[in-house]
Amino acid sequence: MTDSASIFATGNIPDAPRSDLPELLVALAADLRAVGYTVDGVAAFLGAAASSALNRDQLIPALIVTGQAVKADPGARALAAVVSLWLLAVPQPPEEIDAALPGIRTAGLLELGLVELDDGAVAAKADLRPYGWDANEDGSGGAELWVSSDLAAHQRAGVLRHDHVLGIGQASTTLVQTTIRRHTERALDLGTGCGIQTFHLLHHCDHVTATDISERALAFTRFNLLLNAEALHLDPKNLEARVSLRLGSLLEPVAGEHFGLVVSNPPFVITPRSTGESASEQFTYRDGGLPGDDIVASLVRTLFGVLAPGGTAQMLGNWEITAGTRWSERPKSWLDGSGTDAWFIQREQVGPEQYAETWLQDASETRDRGHYQESYAAYLADFASRNVEGIGFGMIWLRRPADTANAASGENAADTGNAAAISRFEEITYPIEQPVGPHLGASVERADWLAAHHLAEAHLVVAEDVTEERHQRPGAEHPGVILLRQGAGLRRTNLLSTELAGFVSACDGELSVRQIIGALAALLGGGEDFEPEAFRAGLLEEVGNLVRDGFLLPEGH
């Protein structure tokens, strides 16, 4: 169990919003709700075009809309003032904020540390924006929140502070959409930042431990949790009953503990290291302080130790691709002999130049030409020192196999023991359905089903989202290409052989896999070179792949 000294329970540290003033937090939440400062409220106020531009960090369309809205409708003045203050980082007259947020007023915002006075105007000291997600079909699980973080590069001048606390970004929402949601007693949010992953975990986990190496990040998380206590079903007077905030690096704060689910958007950015560099010179929200991709490698190798039997981990990461190798070679090396089930999906691959440009711009390090040139050169030299020609980005799923007594299931459980290890390394760079988490979870369940059942005895049906395409030359008697396409989830496309296409067309649940393969063997066999056993084994393997990928499903599933 972790040392109690690592537990973060303060609500008042320099340069972070205060969470030790519960009356003001209640008043702020009530005011924001009353003025319509919600995801839907802001979207309706700005309109589709300005909202889309704002999501790309472009402020001008929203500035134009805000000014026009106030002229056209004085009743929109209150929401315009709040949107301008926090989303657009435009200082507002105190009287405008007092009128828009009458419960907390400017004085309360100053006391919380969310704003400061700049030449008499109220200026945002931190970002505060609406965030939420829709409820399930049964009405459960939705949330309407507000999230505070540091002002982003497009909202302020100069290079970001090195202990910058990142807000809602593409990486954090990608992890949210990727995570497989299931009830878990204890979950770990490793590197919580401003708390985005923790908010979602609280809706399907009994207790969440959130860690970060940054004290400021934990202060923002604590503020966000208590500001949204009602929506997150938290008792403000007993936050620790459901959330534990831990200060420390990587897995140190939870040494000796075990979790059913770990999620992490770690500081995976590959950044050049310099001799004698201190932690204060690194951007804590993105730089792990280790050379190359060692931060991701270290987590992949060690997360097994904090997972309960059957527990899973999901994270995002970068990995280096050296010249002359496949992208998957390095991630595979992190798992050699570990016994961990693993699934890596590479979503993007870029060269050293594009990688350097992306992350130098991310921290606003492009504004000083001399600094930009020096930093750019350092990136290229660092990658060249390891013969790196590409950097991959993607999603990682890991699982600690369950105990034998718990893992086996199904009619032949005694024969299968633990579920067969999942070891998948694939590249999917085209658009996929979001959220993809439910589809990833279904894929894992199908892999476990295949490990626990005799596929030959199963009765299969074609999934509802699957369509078939046939292409042939004009005048040709038979199609030259037969494709199966998925309309949902990972939206895979599978090229079918003639016999596999025949198999799929017969999958209506009536006949078993063995019966369909037998019929195809009788129909297509008979030649001198035909080997019945090889035909059956090969087709059975291909059918297993179609089940694993969700083209075919066991009847009733």
Side-chain angles (χ1 to χ4, degrees):
M1 183 64 68
T2 185
D3 189 311
S4 61
S6 69
I7 297 176
F8 181 90
T10 181
N12 188 11
I13 70 169
D15 296 324
R18 296 181 63 172
S19 56
D20 58 344
L21 302 168
E23 296 85 0
L24 289 181
L25 292 175
V26 171
L28 175 59
D31 280 348
L32 294 175
R33 189 176 297 108
V35 79
Y37 193 57
T38 63
V39 173
D40 291 341
V42 171
F45 173 71
L46 292 179
S51 294
S52 179
L54 193 59
N55 288 335
R56 301 190 304 271
D57 297 338
Q58 299 298 318
L59 304 181
I60 303 303
L63 286 168
I64 294 172
V65 168
T66 301
Q68 293 174 340
V70 172
K71 292 179 181 178
D73 179 12
R77 197 177 193 94
L79 181 55
V82 177
V83 168
S84 297
L85 174 65
W86 278 308
L87 296 186
L88 308 182
V90 177
Q92 299 294 300
E95 58 271 21
E96 293 285 352
I97 298 303
D98 291 346
L101 306 173
I104 190 167
R105 302 174 63 84
T106 298
L109 296 178
L110 286 166
E111 194 169 0
L112 284 176
L114 287 171
V115 301
E116 57 189 354
L117 292 179
D118 182 8
D119 289 335
V122 182
K125 193 175 179 181
D127 186 271
L128 182 68
R129 64 184 54 223
Y131 176 73
W133 59 93
D134 294 333
N136 299 322
E137 292 183 0
D138 61 2
S140 65
E144 190 174 87
L145 314 172
W146 299 277
V147 179
S148 183
S149 62
D150 274 328
L151 294 170
H154 67 286
Q155 296 170 303
R156 59 184 298 282
V159 176
L160 298 181
R161 56 187 295 163
H162 284 82
D163 59 353
H164 175 82
V165 177
L166 193 65
I168 305 164
Q170 183 176 352
S172 58
T173 54
T174 295
L175 183 57
V176 164
Q177 295 169 327
T178 302
T179 300
I180 300 170
R181 305 289 169 188
R182 59 186 178 88
H183 174 260
T184 305
E185 289 186 8
R186 301 192 69 219
L188 170 63
D189 177 6
L190 180 64
T192 187
C194 66
I196 300 297
Q197 308 306 321
T198 290
F199 306 151
H200 287 268
L201 291 173
L202 283 168
H203 275 71
H204 62 98
C205 302
D206 297 338
H207 188 276
V208 180
T209 298
T211 70
D212 208 287
I213 198 171
S214 166
E215 189 175 35
R216 290 189 70 246
L218 291 176
F220 272 97
T221 295
R222 192 172 194 274
F223 174 86
N224 290 329
L225 288 169
L226 293 174
L227 175 62
N228 299 291
E230 181 179 356
L232 295 173
H233 310 295
L234 300 173
D235 179 357
K237 297 179 181 178
N238 188 18
L239 180 65
E240 293 71 21
R242 294 204 61 211
V243 183
S244 175
L245 302 178
R246 310 276 183 86
L247 180 65
S249 177
L250 299 179
L251 298 176
E252 291 174 2
V254 294
E257 298 181 61
H258 295 91
F259 303 88
L261 174 62
V262 177
V263 298
S264 182
N265 179 20
F268 57 72
V269 177
I270 301 169
T271 309
R273 304 269 70 91
S274 59
T275 304
E277 180 183 69
S278 66
S280 63
E281 298 175 270
Q282 301 163 7
F283 292 99
T284 55
Y285 75 94
R286 68 175 209 188
D287 301 333
L290 297 176
D293 54 16
D294 283 358
I295 188 77
V296 178
S298 174
L299 283 173
V300 171
R301 290 182 179 123
T302 58
L303 277 172
F304 184 95
V306 299
L307 291 176
T312 60
Q314 291 192 250
M315 58 185 285
L316 304 178
N318 276 161
W319 38 82
E320 295 184 334
I321 305 165
T322 55
T325 66
R326 294 176 57 85
W327 75 265
S328 57
E329 288 186 27
R330 182 152 175 78
K332 284 180 179 178
S333 72
W334 302 336
L335 294 157
D336 286 347
S338 69
T340 305
D341 291 348
W343 189 1
F344 282 68
I345 300 177
Q346 177 165 285
R347 295 287 289 143
E348 182 182 17
Q349 180 176 324
V350 299
E353 291 81 7
Q354 186 178 347
Y355 194 85
E357 293 158 12
T358 297
W359 292 109
L360 288 171
Q361 171 139 6
D362 176 78
S364 298
E365 294 182 90
T366 60
R367 296 172 180 175
D368 182 309
R369 184 180 179 87
H371 173 77
Y372 179 58
Q373 182 174 341
E374 180 181 342
S375 299
Y376 200 132
Y379 266 97
L380 299 187
D382 183 54
F383 285 128
S385 70
R386 294 185 296 277
N387 196 27
V388 173
E389 69 174 11
I391 302 92
F393 166 81
M395 308 179 294
I396 303 169
W397 174 88
L398 305 170
R399 180 173 65 180
R400 177 177 176 176
D403 293 337
T404 302
N406 298 324
S409 61
E411 60 186 2
N412 60 325
D415 298 328
T416 59
N418 282 352
I422 296 174
S423 181
R424 302 193 71 170
F425 297 83
E426 55 186 324
E427 185 172 34
I428 301 177
T429 57
Y430 52 79
I432 60 178
E433 183 182 8
Q434 296 291 2
V436 75
H439 300 284
L440 298 181
S443 184
V444 170
E445 291 177 359
R446 290 192 299 270
D448 290 342
W449 181 90
L450 284 168
H453 293 78
H454 293 300
L455 178 59
E457 307 308 324
H459 293 246
L460 305 178
V461 295
V462 180
E464 289 293 330
D465 65 312
V466 171
T467 57
E468 181 185 272
E469 294 180 14
R470 294 179 178 244
H471 302 268
Q472 63 192 71
R473 297 278 300 169
E477 185 178 354
H478 301 291
V481 176
I482 306 175
L483 301 173
L484 279 190
R485 293 191 186 276
Q486 289 178 323
L490 293 173
R491 293 174 174 157
R492 302 177 188 273
T493 298
N494 197 297
L495 177 64
L496 302 184
S497 61
T498 302
E499 56 268 23
L500 190 56
F503 182 94
V504 172
S505 67
C507 285
D508 58 5
E510 291 295 322
L511 300 176
S512 70
V513 170
R514 186 189 305 278
Q515 289 171 319
I516 298 175
I517 291 179
L520 288 171
L523 179 65
L524 301 175
E528 293 183 2
D529 297 331
F530 184 76
E531 298 180 3
E533 291 307 316
F535 175 86
R536 289 185 176 89
L539 189 51
L540 185 63
E541 181 179 358
E542 289 181 309
V543 170
N545 291 334
L546 290 181
V547 172
R548 185 175 292 106
D549 289 341
F551 290 94
L552 298 176
L553 304 175
E555 187 181 26
H557 283 242

